[in-house]
């Protein structure tokens, strides 16, 4: 008798292209409308005039142009090249064996404290995520995978450290320039105000995320067959990528110099991002210099550096294409002139909600909008000018509106396949989207419940500027 085939989640390319097709179909169904854009004097950016919505002529996007949108997104995205060059440069650094040796020494030194090492790593990334988006941490994934495997965990734990620890903090964004600062500017609030409550929320979310990560990691360490990526780990062992910490713990002078080059590069990138306003292009250039300097210091010849660089770049091509397809979705909706219609409809529903659930509903509304506008700064420009007047009408503080935006833009990014912050990190570790969702479903439900409670508390305390 023939057995029924189990349902399998389609390949991520199929899922993303399906989203593009649905978005294209929506441009034929949803009435086109636009808000006027005006310049915000405080931020210098163009924002929505909430009172200016008008219906416009329908602008349906041709289905035959879908490949054009995808290719144009691939050609014009600096994020894609930053993603590729980060993986390529880290491949060069890993080939020197510097991190292998350093992690081996660390685990030998703290042989019975792998759990504490993991918790310490979670805290570090949680703090780092208060300012930086996890998409800029892709370069750490191969190092974390190596660390986790040497501790007896798996590659999924490495992804969780970045996505849950850093991503959770980024979703609250006490000092996040690309989300909190922009949203507060649109709301006429002091930049990074309300930081006290945000830091409390960061600590609560980090503790919750650490619980999920450590619990799963301990299950895998106890029995490797409990791993959701067991096949991936078995394949890694067969290829000799499972570097266990049972060999002699030694490190060469060259390897120490490589580590110094790596950490100097990280500091330069952090300084550039914070003080010099570096974007994806400048960070990509920094990664190229890291590959060159790290390879030379590590004793590699130019052709050897090039081979490892090419190998690392090849590993991220799938992630790069995914970012391009995901970017095409919002571009289709924008060209079809239906993004403003969607945002306006959600705002109208929110105004009709009972007062006690308006905070949680504003958060959920932002999660829905994030599906259509994955960009944090782009979502802030579209949402804040609409939500601020709504909040003023219903008696909600503007700081609460910004928090709802943060939660909606941030938390949703770690379950939707259109999110570059999620998909690039998954691909860097070789973890499939379907496998990630098996791990993430309980976490995300917990996140939603906690975020709703945080929104209710914010309303109760009249969460204000400071």
């Amino acid at each position: 008798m023939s057995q029924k085939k189990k349902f399998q989640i389609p390949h991520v390319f199929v899922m993303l292209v399906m989203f593009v097709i649905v978005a294209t179909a929506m441009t034929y169904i949803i009435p086109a409308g636009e808000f006027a854009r005006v310049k915000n004097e405080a931020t210098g950016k163009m924002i929505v005039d909430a009172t200016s919505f008008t219906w416009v002529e329908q602008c349906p996007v041709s289905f035959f142009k879908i490949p054009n949108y995808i290719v144009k997104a691939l050609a014009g995205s600096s994020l894609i090249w930053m993603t590729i060059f980060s993986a390529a440069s880290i491949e060069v650094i890993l080939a020197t064996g510097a991190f292998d040796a350093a992690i081996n020494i660390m685990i030998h030194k703290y042989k019975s404290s792998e759990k504490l090492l993991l918790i310490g790593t979670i805290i570090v990334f949680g703090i780092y995520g208060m300012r930086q988006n996890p998409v800029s941490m892709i370069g750490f994934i191969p190092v974390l995978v190596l660390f986790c495997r040497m501790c007896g965990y798996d590659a999924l734990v490495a992804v969780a450290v970045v996505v849950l620890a850093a991503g959770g903090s980024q979703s609250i964004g006490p000092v996040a320039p690309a989300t909190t600062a922009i949203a507060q500017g649109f709301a006429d609030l002091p930049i990074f105000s309300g930081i006290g409550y945000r830091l409390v929320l960061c600590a609560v979310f980090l503790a919750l995320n650490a619980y999920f990560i450590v619990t799963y990691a301990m299950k895998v360490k106890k029995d490797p067959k409990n791993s959701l990526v067991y096949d991936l780990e078995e394949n890694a062992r067969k290829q000799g990528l499972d570097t266990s910490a049972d060999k002699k713990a030694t490190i060469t002078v060259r390897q120490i110099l490589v580590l110094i080059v790596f950490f100097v590069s990280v500091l330069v990138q952090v300084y550039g991002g914070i003080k010099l306003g570096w974007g994806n292009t400048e960070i990509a250039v920094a990664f190229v210099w890291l590959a060159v300097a790290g390879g030379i210091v590590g004793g590699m010849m130019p052709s050897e550096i090039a081979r490892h660089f090419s190998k690392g770049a090849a590993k991220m091509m799938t992630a790069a294409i995914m970012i391009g397809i995901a970017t095409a979705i919002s571009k289709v909706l924008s060209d079809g002139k239906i993004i403003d219609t969607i945002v306006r409809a959600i705002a109208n529903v929110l105004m009709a909600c009972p007062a006690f659930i308006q905070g949680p509903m504003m958060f959920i509304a932002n999660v829905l909008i994030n599906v259509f506008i994955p960009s944090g700064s782009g979502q802030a420009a579209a949402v804040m000018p609409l939500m601020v007047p709504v909040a003023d009408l219903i008696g909600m503080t503007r700081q609460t509106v910004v928090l709802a935006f943060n939660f909606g833009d941030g938390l949703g990014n770690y379950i939707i396949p259109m999110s570059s912050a999620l998909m690039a990190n998954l691909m860097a570790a070789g973890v499939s989207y379907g496998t990630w969702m098996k791990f993430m479903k309980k976490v995300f439900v917990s996140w939603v419940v906690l975020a709703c409670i945080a929104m209710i508390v914010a309303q109760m305390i009249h969460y204000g500027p400071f």
Side-chain angles (χ1 to χ4, degrees):
M1 292 179 66
S2 60
Q3 293 183 343
K4 275 189 177 181
K5 289 185 177 180
K6 289 184 178 179
F7 172 77
Q8 292 184 335
I9 294 178
H11 189 281
V12 67
F13 283 1
V14 176
M15 294 176 63
L16 288 172
V17 171
M18 286 170 62
F19 278 117
V20 180
I21 293 171
V22 170
T24 304
M26 289 168 66
T27 65
Y28 288 84
I29 300 168
I30 296 176
E34 283 185 329
F35 287 103
R37 262 66 177 178
V38 295
K39 188 173 182 180
N40 182 285
E41 296 301 328
T43 63
K45 295 180 179 291
M46 300 301 292
I47 64 170
V48 169
D49 177 358
T51 63
S52 65
F53 185 83
T54 56
W55 300 108
V56 298
E57 185 179 349
Q58 205 72 17
C59 299
V61 174
S62 171
F63 287 94
F64 292 103
K65 287 189 176 180
I66 288 176
N68 298 53
Y69 278 94
I70 294 172
V71 172
K72 285 180 181 178
L74 286 166
S77 175
S78 59
L79 172 61
I80 289 174
W81 291 108
M82 190 273 285
T83 301
I84 292 173
F85 286 159
S86 68
S89 64
I90 295 301
E91 186 73 25
V92 175
I93 299 300
L94 289 178
T96 66
F99 274 101
D100 191 318
I103 294 171
N104 195 35
I105 288 173
M106 184 171 62
I107 293 176
H108 268 83
K109 188 172 181 179
Y110 303 99
K111 199 163 183 69
S112 60
S113 306
E114 291 99 335
K115 187 175 179 179
L116 290 177
L117 285 174
L118 177 59
I119 292 172
T121 304
I122 291 169
I123 292 172
V124 168
F125 275 88
I127 294 171
Y128 191 34
M130 290 182 187
R131 187 174 183 91
Q132 295 298 118
N133 190 301
V135 75
S136 66
M137 303 179 195
I138 299 166
F140 290 109
I141 289 291
V143 178
L144 286 171
V145 170
L146 180 63
F147 165 72
C148 289
R149 283 175 174 162
M150 293 178 74
C151 287
Y153 312 140
D154 62 16
L156 194 146
V157 174
V159 177
V161 168
V162 172
V163 173
L164 267 63
S169 294
Q170 173 66 199
S171 300
I172 301 163
V175 286
T179 51
T180 305
I182 292 176
Q184 288 181 328
F186 290 151
D188 292 324
L189 292 171
I191 301 303
F192 301 139
S193 57
I195 194 170
Y197 186 49
R198 289 176 184 275
L199 289 174
V200 171
L201 290 176
C202 277
V204 174
F205 268 84
L206 189 58
L208 177 68
N209 293 331
Y211 167 77
F212 281 112
I213 296 170
V214 173
T215 300
Y216 172 76
M218 292 302 106
K219 279 175 61 179
V220 173
K221 187 173 180 66
K222 185 177 180 180
D223 183 359
K225 290 185 178 179
N226 288 326
S227 171
L228 292 174
V229 289
Y230 181 71
D231 291 343
L232 175 68
E233 297 304 310
E234 280 294 291
N235 188 47
R237 277 187 276 274
K238 289 176 183 176
Q239 294 181 35
L241 300 178
D242 175 40
T243 314
S244 57
D246 56 1
K247 58 187 179 184
K248 189 176 180 181
T250 58
I251 190 168
T252 67
V253 173
R254 280 192 178 276
Q255 288 172 334
I256 292 173
L257 292 175
V258 170
L259 292 174
I260 292 173
V261 168
F262 174 81
F263 287 112
V264 168
S265 174
V266 171
L267 291 175
V268 168
Q269 290 179 42
V270 171
Y271 179 82
I274 295 173
K275 295 293 185 180
L276 305 179
W278 283 7
N280 293 324
T281 301
E282 291 79 9
I283 297 297
V285 172
F287 275 119
V288 173
W289 279 111
L290 170 61
V292 174
I296 291 173
V297 168
M300 292 183 181
M301 298 298 290
S303 293
E304 190 178 0
I305 295 174
R307 280 195 298 272
H308 289 295
F309 192 88
S310 299
K311 182 180 177 183
K315 289 180 178 179
M316 290 307 293
M317 283 309 299
T318 300
I321 295 172
M322 285 190 298
I323 293 171
I325 300 174
T327 304
I329 297 170
S330 59
K331 183 61 177 172
V332 166
L333 296 174
S334 177
D335 285 0
K337 299 186 183 299
I338 63 172
I339 280 187
D340 286 358
T341 305
I342 294 169
V343 172
R344 176 175 175 265
I346 293 174
N348 287 341
V349 170
L350 185 64
M351 289 183 69
C353 291
F356 73 96
I357 63 166
Q358 283 170 341
M361 288 302 294
M362 186 171 281
F363 151 58
I364 292 170
N366 276 280
V367 172
L368 295 175
I369 293 169
N370 189 51
V371 174
F372 303 103
I373 314 175
S375 164
S377 56
Q379 186 176 336
V383 167
M384 292 306 297
L386 292 173
M387 295 302 185
V388 166
V390 170
D392 290 344
L393 285 172
I394 63 179
M396 181 184 292
T397 67
R398 294 186 175 191
Q399 197 72 265
T400 304
V401 179
V402 175
L403 185 62
F405 156 74
N406 278 118
F407 278 140
D409 167 66
L411 300 181
N413 277 334
Y414 307 116
I415 61 165
I416 59 173
M418 295 83 77
S419 167
S420 57
L422 171 63
M423 301 310 297
N425 280 294
L426 288 178
M427 290 306 303
V431 177
S432 72
Y433 174 73
T435 301
W436 172 253
M437 289 306 296
K438 290 178 183 177
F439 169 79
M440 190 62 188
K441 54 189 178 185
K442 289 183 180 179
V443 179
F444 188 71
V445 169
S446 301
W447 277 3
V448 170
V449 171
L450 189 53
C452 287
I453 293 171
M455 291 303 303
I456 292 171
V457 171
Q459 283 183 278
M460 291 173 61
I461 65 174
H462 299 286
Y463 182 36
F466 307 103

